[in-house]
């Protein structure tokens, strides 16, 4: 069964990706199923990469704000 990949948390995506890799490494699946698993795994890996990239950007942004005198709230005041 196909699940909606977009609704999975990062941790759930990683767990499913690990399961897919395990199945492919075992080699006990048909060629057709291997292709489907590879396709699903590629989508999950892409989603995880995007999530990590966004997190990295956010951390970099927050670290830059902190270096510049603290994180400011919406009113321009430093917290």
């Amino acid at each position: 069964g196909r699940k909606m990949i977009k609704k999975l948390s990062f941790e759930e995506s990683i767990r499913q990706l690990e399961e897919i890799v395990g199945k492919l490494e075992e080699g006990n699946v048909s060629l057709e199923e291997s292709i489907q698993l590879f396709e699903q795994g590629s989508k999950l890996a892409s989603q995880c990469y995007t999530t990590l990239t966004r997190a990295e950007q956010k951390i970099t942004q927050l670290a830059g704000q902190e270096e510049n005198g603290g994180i400011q709230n919406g009113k321009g005041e430093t917290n």
Side-chain angles (χ1 to χ4, degrees), residues 39-52:
E39 182 180 9
Q40 184 181 8
S42 293
K43 289 177 183 177
L44 286 166
S46 177
Q47 178 186 353
C48 290
Y49 177 78
T50 299
T51 301
L52 287 174

Side-chain angles (χ1 to χ4, degrees), residues 24-41:
L24 291 172
E25 285 179 343
E26 287 173 7
N28 296 330
V29 293
S30 67
L31 177 60
E32 185 176 324
E33 188 177 355
S34 293
I35 292 169
Q36 289 175 349
L37 287 169
F38 184 83
E39 182 180 9
Q40 184 181 8

Side-chain angles (χ1 to χ4, degrees), residues 2-64:
R2 290 189 166 187
K3 292 183 178 180
M4 295 295 293
I5 291 176
K6 293 179 182 178
K7 293 186 179 183
L8 298 177
S9 69
F10 176 78
E11 293 77 12
E12 180 67 15
S13 296
I14 291 292
R15 188 188 65 72
Q16 283 195 12
L17 191 54
E18 289 172 345
E19 284 181 16
I20 289 169
V21 169
K23 287 180 185 177
L24 291 172
E25 285 179 343
E26 287 173 7
N28 296 330
V29 293
S30 67
L31 177 60
E32 185 176 324
E33 188 177 355
S34 293
I35 292 169
Q36 289 175 349
L37 287 169
F38 184 83
E39 182 180 9
Q40 184 181 8
S42 293
K43 289 177 183 177
L44 286 166
S46 177
Q47 178 186 353
C48 290
Y49 177 78
T50 299
T51 301
L52 287 174
T53 301
R54 287 181 183 154
E56 181 181 31
Q57 290 171 348
K58 181 130 184 143
I59 290 168
T60 301
Q61 178 185 14
L62 291 171

